[in-house]
C-alpha cells in the first residue's frame, strides 16, 4: 500500500483549470519533488493534500484512509506555505515552538530545528527583524518542529542565496530520512529537484507530464516540454530518410544529414542533444559522420565547466559544455568541428502544436 495516494484530482477556479485528473502515489519515506513552472498547479495540489482546499473531483488517501473530507488538523500533515505565514507578534522561538506545543511535543524539537537551519542565535528576534531568507528558514524550522508523518514544502528554499540553498537542501533531505518522513517538495528549479529527490513529478498546466527518478526524466524525457524544462537542450528538427540496422538518418535544413541510433517515432522528428553530449574538435578528425563545421560565437567560463556558443555553417545555434580544461584554448571567432554522437540524441515525434508551443512555460 502506498503511503499517499492522489486519485483523479481536479480543481478549477472559475474558467481556470488548475488541476486536471492528477493521479500518483508516494511510498513511505520517499522524497518526492513536484516540478513545474509558475501556474502549473503545484501549490493548489499541496493545499488539496493538506486539506486547505477541497478538490472538485478525486480523492486523497493517507495510509489507506480517505482524508478528502477530513480537516487539516486531523491529517497529521505538516505544511509549509510559500508565504511563510509567521506570526509577526511572536519571536522566532515562539513561532517555532508553537506547533510543537499544540501537539504536545518537546521543546527540544524546536531547538534542534532552529539549530539545523542556522538560526538558534536569533531566538529572541521578531520576523520583521529578519531577512526574507531568514524568515523562510524560521518557517521551515517550525514545520520540522511540529512533526507529522507527511511533510509538504512549497518552494521552501526559493528565497535563499545559492550557497545556503545548496546546504539546506541536503540537510533537509538528510533530516527527512533520519526522521522517516514522507516529503512532497514543490519547486520550479530542476537542478534542486534532481539533486535531492527520490522521484520527480513534472507538472504543466495542471496535468502530469512525467513521473520518474531524476535520471530517468533527464535522460529519457516523455516529451519536448519535459526535456527543455528539466535541463538545457539543443533542438534540431528534420525528416527521417532511411532506417537500417538499428539506426536511422535524418535530413535537417540546419545541419544536413544526421545518423541516429534507435527507431524513429515518425517521419518528421525532433532531436534533442544535451550540451554535455556535444563534442568539439579544434582540428578536423578523420571521420565525417555527424561532424559539422561551426564558428565559435562566445565562450563562457563557469568554473567547473566552459560553455561554448556555436553556429554551424548552415546557421544552427548550439551550446556545448566542456567539463575539462581544453588543451587548446577555444576563442570567439575560431572555426571548430562539432560532433553530434549517434547515441546521444533524445528523439521525439514532431509535436502537432509546433516546437515553440510544445516547450512554452505558459
Amino acid at each position: 500500500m502506498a503511503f499517499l495516494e492522489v486519485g483523479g484530482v481536479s480543481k478549477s477556479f472559475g474558467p481556470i483549470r488548475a488541476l486536471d485528473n492528477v493521479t500518483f502515489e508516494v511510498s513511505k519515506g520517499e522524497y518526492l519533488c513536484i516540478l513545474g513552472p509558475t501556474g502549473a498547479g503545484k501549490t493548489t495540489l499541496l493545499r488539496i493534500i493538506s486539506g486547505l482546499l477541497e478538490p472538485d473531483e478525486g480523492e486523497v488517501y493517507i495510509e489507506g484512509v480517505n482524508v478528502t473530507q477530513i480537516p487539516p488538523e486531523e491529517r497529521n500533515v505538516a505544511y509549509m506555505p510559500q508565504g511563510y505565514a509567521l506570526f509577526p507578534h511572536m519571536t522566532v522561538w515562539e513561532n517555532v515552538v508553537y506547533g510543537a506545543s499544540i501537539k504536545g511535543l518537546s521543546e527540544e524539537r524546536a531547538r534542534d530545528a532552529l539549530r539545523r537551519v542556522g538560526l538558534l542565535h536569533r531566538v529572541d528576534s521578531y520576523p520583521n527583524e529578519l531577512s526574507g531568507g531568514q524568515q523562510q528558514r524560521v518557517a521551515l524550522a517550525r514545520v520540522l518542529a511540529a512533526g507529522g508523518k507527511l511533510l509538504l514544502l512549497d518552494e521552501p528554499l526559493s528565497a535563499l542565496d545559492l550557497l545556503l540553498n545548496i546546504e539546506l537542501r541536503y540537510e533537509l533531505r538528510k533530516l527527512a530520512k533520519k526522521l522517516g518522513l514522507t516529503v512532497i517538495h514543490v519547486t520550479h528549479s530542476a537542478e534542486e529537484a534532481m539533486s535531492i529527490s527520490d522521484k520527480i513529478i513534472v507538472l504543466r498546466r495542471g496535468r502530469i507530464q512525467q513521473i520518474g527518478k531524476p535520471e530517468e526524466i533527464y535522460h529519457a524525457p516523455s516529451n519536448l516540454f519535459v526535456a527543455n524544462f528539466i535541463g538545457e537542450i539543443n533542438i534540431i528538427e528534420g525528416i527521417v530518410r532511411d532506417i537500417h540496422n538499428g539506426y536511422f538518418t535524418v535530413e535537417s535544413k540546419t545541419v544536413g544529414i544526421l545518423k541516429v541510433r534507435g527507431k524513429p517515432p515518425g517521419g518528421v522528428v525532433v532531436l534533442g542533444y544535451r550540451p554535455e553530449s556535444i563534442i568539439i574538435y579544434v582540428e578536423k578528425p578523420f571521420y565525417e559522420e555527424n561532424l559539422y563545421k561551426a564558428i565559435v560565437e562566445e565562450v563562457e567560463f563557469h568554473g567547473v565547466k566552459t560553455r561554448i556558443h556555436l553556429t554551424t555553417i548552415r546557421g544552427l545555434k548550439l551550446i556545448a559544455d566542456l567539463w575539462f580544461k581544453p588543451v587548446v584554448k577555444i576563442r570567439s571567432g575560431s572555426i571548430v568541428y562539432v560532433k553530434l554522437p549517434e547515441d546521444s540524441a533524445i528523439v521525439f515525434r514532431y509535436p502537432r502544436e509546433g516546437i515553440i508551443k510544445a516547450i512554452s512555460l505558459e
Side-chain angles (χ1 to χ4, degrees):
M1 180 191 301
F3 181 81
L4 171 70
E5 297 175 74
V6 175
V9 166
S10 297
K11 182 68 178 178
S12 296
F13 299 99
I16 306 299
R17 188 78 159 172
L19 294 173
D20 190 358
N21 193 30
V22 171
T23 299
F24 64 93
E25 296 182 351
V26 185
S27 300
K28 184 176 178 61
E30 194 167 41
Y31 200 111
L32 171 76
C33 279
I34 299 178
L35 176 65
T38 301
K42 304 185 299 296
T43 296
T44 299
L45 181 55
L46 277 198
R47 288 173 64 83
I48 287 175
I49 294 171
S50 70
L52 295 174
L53 272 179
E54 189 174 324
D56 298 333
E57 301 172 19
E59 296 174 324
V60 177
Y61 289 80
I62 298 178
E63 293 189 295
V65 178
N66 189 337
V67 298
T68 312
Q69 303 299 325
I70 294 178
E73 62 272 15
E74 296 180 19
R75 295 193 183 194
N76 202 18
V77 171
Y79 174 49
M80 176 181 163
Q82 193 170 357
Y84 314 149
L86 299 176
F87 297 115
H89 62 287
M90 291 185 178
T91 64
V92 166
W93 173 254
E94 291 167 338
N95 265 284
V96 175
V97 81
Y98 178 77
S101 62
I102 287 180
K103 293 186 176 182
L105 301 175
S106 71
E107 292 188 356
E108 187 56 36
R109 290 181 64 99
R111 191 175 305 279
D112 183 60
L114 280 167
R115 184 183 299 112
R116 288 181 179 276
V117 300
L119 286 177
L120 193 56
H121 65 293
R122 299 299 300 269
V123 290
D124 295 324
S125 299
Y126 287 88
N128 65 353
E129 298 172 342
L130 304 175
S131 67
Q134 289 173 324
Q135 291 179 35
Q136 194 162 31
R137 287 152 66 190
V138 172
L140 178 57
R142 181 180 59 189
V143 167
L144 294 175
K149 295 181 180 179
L150 179 61
L151 182 59
L152 308 179
L153 304 173
D154 194 353
E155 301 275 5
L157 309 174
S158 61
L160 307 179
D161 60 70
L162 181 59
L163 290 178
L164 189 56
N165 179 303
I166 293 172
E167 180 182 346
L168 270 183
R169 72 173 68 158
Y170 295 118
E171 189 67 24
L172 182 57
R173 176 184 167 86
K174 181 180 177 182
L175 179 62
K177 293 296 182 181
K178 179 181 178 181
L179 297 177
L181 300 176
T182 303
V183 181
I184 300 181
H185 176 139
V186 158
T187 180
H188 63 272
S189 168
E191 189 270 338
E192 182 179 307
M194 287 192 294
S195 66
I196 60 173
S197 64
D198 297 315
K199 188 167 65 179
I200 294 175
I201 291 178
V202 181
L203 201 62
R204 182 197 191 198
R205 297 172 184 167
R207 295 182 179 180
I208 291 178
Q209 303 296 302
Q210 188 170 359
I211 303 175
K213 295 179 180 179
E215 57 269 26
E216 293 171 347
I217 290 181
Y218 186 79
H219 293 295
S222 61
N223 56 42
L224 270 174
F225 173 81
V226 175
N228 186 63
F229 192 76
I230 203 74
E232 293 175 290
I233 195 165
N234 297 286
I235 293 176
I236 303 172
E237 57 182 285
I239 300 173
V240 176
R241 292 303 187 194
D242 183 44
I243 305 173
H244 181 69
N245 199 26
Y247 291 85
F248 63 95
T249 56
V250 174
E251 183 179 354
S252 170
K253 292 180 180 179
T254 54
V255 291
I257 299 297
L258 272 162
K259 185 178 180 181
V260 181
R261 183 194 294 272
K263 184 178 179 181
V268 182
V269 297
V270 179
L271 307 178
Y273 292 87
R274 297 291 185 195
E276 67 271 16
S277 69
I278 295 177
I279 302 171
I280 297 177
Y281 298 97
V282 294
E283 295 182 0
K284 188 176 182 180
F286 294 113
Y287 57 83
E288 296 195 15
E289 204 164 57
N290 285 18
L291 189 70
Y292 309 97
K293 196 174 183 179
I295 185 169
V296 176
E297 302 288 353
E298 190 176 353
V299 179
E300 298 177 359
F301 178 67
H302 291 184
V304 296
K305 70 179 180 183
T306 300
R307 169 153 292 186
I308 314 295
H309 295 260
L310 309 130
T311 302
T312 65
I313 296 303
R314 293 197 181 193
L316 176 67
K317 301 288 185 181
L318 295 170
I319 53 173
D321 288 339
L322 304 182
W323 292 85
F324 57 89
K325 186 177 181 180
V327 177
V328 179
K329 189 172 179 62
I330 298 174
R331 297 180 175 85
S332 298
S334 59
I335 300 297
V336 296
Y337 294 88
V338 175
K339 169 75 173 178
L340 302 178
E342 294 90 335
D343 57 355
S344 294
I346 306 173
V347 186
F348 305 97
R349 184 189 299 272
Y350 191 89
R352 287 178 297 178
E353 68 270 38
I355 292 176
I356 299 300
K357 287 187 177 181
I359 65 176
S360 172
L361 299 183
E362 298 180 354

